[in-house]
Amino acid sequence: MFTFDTHLDLALNAIEWNRDYRRDVPTIRQSEQGMTDKPDRGRGVVSLPDLRRGQIGLVVATQIARYNETDSSLPGAGWNSPQQAWAMTQAQLAWYRSMEDDGWMRQLTNRQQLDEHVALWLDTAIPADQKPVGFILSLEGADSLVNLTYLEKAYAYGLRALGPAHYSTGRYAPGTGLSGPLTTLGRDLLREMDALGMILDVTHLTDEGFDEALDLYKGPIWASHHNCRTLVPHQRQLTDDQIIRLAERGAVIGGCLDAWMLKAGLTQRVPFQSHTFGVTLDTLIDHIDHICQLTGSSSHCAIGSDLDGTYGLEQSPADLDTIADIQNLQGLLQKRGYSQTDIEGIFHGNGLRFLRNAWA
C-alpha cells in the first residue's frame, strides 16, 4: 500500500552519520561493521531502496541542527552558534538536492506537485524502484534560524513545516525534558510562519509551549511523530486533552516507532528492550486505538516512524528489520478490526487530506 511517513531524519543520517542512503539497508549495515562512534552503527533500518521497496513514496524529511548551550550530547546538538547550525542545515539541503538530481527523491511544495506525485505512485504500471521518493521539507528545532529573515530564506527553498523545539533548551522554545512557554523569539516565529502559511509541528514542545502555540497559531498544525501519554507516561507523549485539541484543529498525529515511546517501562538509549518488553509493530496500534477512541474515528492517525532517528534496530520494534516492514501494519490493523478505509487513511489518506487542505 502507498505509504506516507510523516517524519524521517534522512539528511542527518546522510551527512552526520555518513550513510549512503542510495544503498540498501544490509549494505549500509555491512559498511559500518566495527564502527563505535554512534550507538546504532551497523543497525540502521532506513534506505532509499528500502523506502521504495516498502511503497513509502512520500515522507516528511527533516533538516536538524541545534545550538545547545547546556548539553552537546543530545540528538541534533553540538553546534556552538546558530550560524554553524544554519550551515549544517544547508549541507543537509544540498544532500536532498543531489538526491533529486539523481532521481532518488522529489521535493513537493504545493498541492499540484503533491497530486502529480501521488498519481505517479498509484500507477502500478511503473515499478516502485523507478519512482522518486517524494519529500516535504521540515525543520526539526528552529535554533538554526539565525533570525526571522532566515525563515524567509528557508521558505524560498521549499521549507513547508517547522517544529520550534527539540530536546532540552532552545532559542525559540524549550523542548522535551523541560517545562515553560515559548520564548519571545518563538512567538515572533509563529507569527511569521502563520503569515507564510506554513505547517506548525508541535512535536517536542513542552505542555506550556503546546498550549501557547495552539492559542497563538491560526494555520495548519500537526504532530509529526508522537504517541499517547496515557499509555506511556512521559512528557514526550501527547496527553488526552492535547490529542482532542489537535483533532479539533484537523491535525494528524504520526505514530512513532521508537520503542521507548511505545510501551511503559522502557528507558531511552538502552538497547534491545523491545525484545525483553515485547514491543512490536502491533504495540503501535495500541496508541492508534487510543486516539481513535478519544476522537471517535481513525481520521487523525498517521505513521510518523522516526526510524533511524539517531537509533536503529536496538530501539525499534522487535519484529521490524527495515522500514519496509511498516507494510506489515496492514495485516495487524485488519486483525484488530480496522476496515480497509481506516487502513488506507492511516497509511496515507489522512496525511494527504491534511496536506491538500493546508495547500488548498
Side-chain angles (χ1 to χ4, degrees), residues 22-78:
R22 300 170 304 163
R23 301 178 178 183
D24 61 21
V25 165
T27 303
I28 295 172
R29 289 177 186 164
Q30 182 61 38
S31 72
E32 295 181 355
Q33 292 303 306
M35 298 174 67
T36 59
D37 61 315
K38 308 285 188 183
D40 59 334
R41 283 300 188 196
R43 298 170 179 167
V45 302
V46 178
S47 76
L48 289 166
D50 287 275
L51 285 170
R52 285 173 163 176
R53 183 168 63 86
Q55 298 289 316
I56 304 166
L58 178 61
V59 304
V60 176
T62 68
Q63 297 169 288
I64 176 172
R66 280 220 331 272
Y67 164 66
N68 193 304
E69 296 179 275
T70 58
D71 188 350
S72 62
S73 68
L74 292 166

Side-chain angles (χ1 to χ4, degrees), residues 148 151-152 187-197:
L148 290 186
L151 178 65
E152 296 173 1
R187 297 181 195 102
D188 291 341
L189 173 68
L190 262 60
R191 294 185 186 98
E192 185 64 19
M193 288 175 60
D194 228 341
L196 291 169

Side-chain angles (χ1 to χ4, degrees), residues 140 167 176 203-204 223-238 253-269 273-274 279-280 283-284 286-287 304-306 309 311 315-317:
E140 185 172 20
Y167 279 86
T176 297
T203 307
H204 288 293
S224 66
H225 55 305
H226 252 309
N227 294 336
C228 304
R229 197 178 301 184
T230 294
L231 301 182
V232 179
H234 189 283
Q235 181 251 351
R236 173 66 178 82
Q237 316 277 54
L238 292 168
I253 300 166
C256 181
L257 289 174
D258 195 339
W260 77 275
M261 292 177 57
L262 288 168
K263 196 167 188 177
L266 281 73
T267 304
Q268 192 177 20
R269 304 292 166 195
Q273 294 176 96
S274 55
V279 177
T280 65
T283 314
L284 176 62
D286 296 339
H287 294 264
S305 72
D306 197 24
Y311 68 93
Q315 207 167 295
S316 297

